[in-house]
């Protein structure tokens, strides 16, 4: 196995005394893990930072063997980890992707969307510039992994108009007329997800509540409390930022 490609670094963990195992997302070859010799060294620590764009070269004798990985830094987002809100956003987006995608399966739409989210965080660290992109990325991740929501028509009436809610059980949209009397049992569907355009903070938080429900139910079961706590911290920081 020999692969050379640009990739978004998603996660890094120490392995042995000096090495590290890194997981990175490539556009055409999906999620690729690899062992980086000397990955815990002073020289490589700034390179092996989640959210960085790298040029990776993976080599192994067999498909089953963990590949050896050498990395070159293309673009660093390390400075953003000095700012609390961008840092937790980068941490969440990369950890979510690393934890849920199967290895070696191409997800070019997810690669492009994740690159867009990370670029938006870098360009506008204030959350209003990237929070809607984060919601859309979470929706796309659900869809790409087979848990997409149906936000096209009402589950109760079949109408494609005035959709305002989503069933927490079926993941299908519900119109305001169809939701009458049952609003407290449904998740609110913010308009920016169906109509586009700008979003108020209340809409952004509703969007995160919507995606969070289905991420926790369908993708993050058994993934560990640390991952979920990262998202809780992100939402809490967003709430404090707009309070």
């Amino acid at each position: 196995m020999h692969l050379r490609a640009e990739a978004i670094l998603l996660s890094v963990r120490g392995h042995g005394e000096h090495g590290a195992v890194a997981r990175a997302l490539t556009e055409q070859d999906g999620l690729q893990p690899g062992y980086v010799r000397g990955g815990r060294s002073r020289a490589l620590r700034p390179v092996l930072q989640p959210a960085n764009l790298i040029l990776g070269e993976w080599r192994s004798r067999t498909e089953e063997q963990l590949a050896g990985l050498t990395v070159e830094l293309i673009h660093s987002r390390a400075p953003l980890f000095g700012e609390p809100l961008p840092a937790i956003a980068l941490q969440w987006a990369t950890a979510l992707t690393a934890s849920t995608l199967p290895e070696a399966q191409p997800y070019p739409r997810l690669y492009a969307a994740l690159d867009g989210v990370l670029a938006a965080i870098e360009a506008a660290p204030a959350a209003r510039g990237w929070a809607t992109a984060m919601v859309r990325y979470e929706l796309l991740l659900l869809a790409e992994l087979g848990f997409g929501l149906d936000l096209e028509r009402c589950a109760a009436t079949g109408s494609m108009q005035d959709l305002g809610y989503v069933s927490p059980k079926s993941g299908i949209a519900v119109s305001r007329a169809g939701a009458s009397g049952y609003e407290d049992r449904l998740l609110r569907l913010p308009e920016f997800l169906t109509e586009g355009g700008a979003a108020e903070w209340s809409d952004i938080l509703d969007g995160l509540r919507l995606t969070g429900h289905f991420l926790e139910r369908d993708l993050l079961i058994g993934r560990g409390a640390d991952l979920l706590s990262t998202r809780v911290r992100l939402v809490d920081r967003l709430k404090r930022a707009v309070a």
Side-chain angles (χ1 to χ4, degrees):
M1 180 265 200
H2 180 210
L3 171 65
R4 180 178 171 88
E6 291 188 6
I8 300 169
L9 197 60
L10 300 178
S11 68
V12 181
R13 62 176 175 83
H15 185 84
E17 187 174 354
H18 303 292
V21 174
R23 295 164 69 81
L25 182 63
T26 68
E27 183 174 13
Q28 298 300 325
D29 295 280
L31 182 65
Q32 295 287 339
Y35 173 75
V36 183
R37 187 181 301 274
R40 301 171 69 180
S41 68
R42 183 175 299 178
L44 282 179
R45 276 199 301 260
V47 178
L48 295 179
Q49 174 71 58
N52 280 355
L53 184 64
I54 62 167
L55 177 62
E57 188 163 7
W58 290 261
R59 292 179 181 271
S60 67
R61 294 180 179 178
T62 68
E63 293 291 339
E64 294 75 24
Q65 181 184 24
L66 178 64
L69 170 62
T70 57
V71 297
E72 297 177 30
L73 181 64
I74 297 175
H75 179 68
S76 175
R77 295 188 172 100
L80 288 171
F81 282 86
E83 304 179 46
L85 187 51
I88 194 69
L90 294 176
Q91 182 183 354
W92 164 247
T94 53
L96 172 66
T97 308
S99 299
T100 55
L101 290 191
E103 292 178 3
Q105 295 188 26
Y107 292 96
R109 293 178 65 204
L110 277 177
Y111 179 91
L114 178 60
D115 187 55
V117 171
L118 301 180
I121 296 170
E122 186 174 18
R128 186 176 289 279
W130 52 260
T132 56
M134 184 71 78
V135 176
R136 293 183 187 279
Y137 179 70
E138 292 178 346
L139 276 179
L140 178 62
L141 182 70
L142 285 162
E144 291 284 289
L145 294 179
F147 299 100
L149 308 187
D150 183 352
L151 307 181
E152 299 295 325
R153 63 184 68 250
C154 174
T157 67
S159 171
M160 301 175 66
Q161 305 299 318
D162 200 29
L163 302 176
Y165 298 89
V166 175
S167 166
K169 293 183 178 179
S170 68
I172 303 175
V174 182
S175 67
R176 288 179 175 81
S180 181
Y182 298 93
E183 291 90 345
D184 60 343
R185 302 181 188 180
L186 303 171
L187 297 164
R188 202 173 85 78
L189 174 60
E191 193 171 276
F192 77 90
L193 290 178
T194 55
E195 304 296 332
E200 300 295 330
W201 278 114
S202 59
D203 296 325
I204 292 170
L205 293 174
D206 282 336
L208 288 167
R209 190 174 301 112
L210 174 66
T211 53
H213 170 81
F214 292 101
L215 285 172
E216 185 171 353
R217 190 192 74 176
D218 296 329
L219 285 184
L220 301 182
I221 299 172
R223 300 289 181 177
D226 287 347
L227 186 59
L228 286 172
S229 68
T230 300
R231 193 177 194 277
V232 170
R233 293 199 307 274
L234 172 62
V235 174
D236 285 346
R237 284 191 178 276
L238 287 171
K239 289 177 178 177
R240 291 202 298 269
V242 302

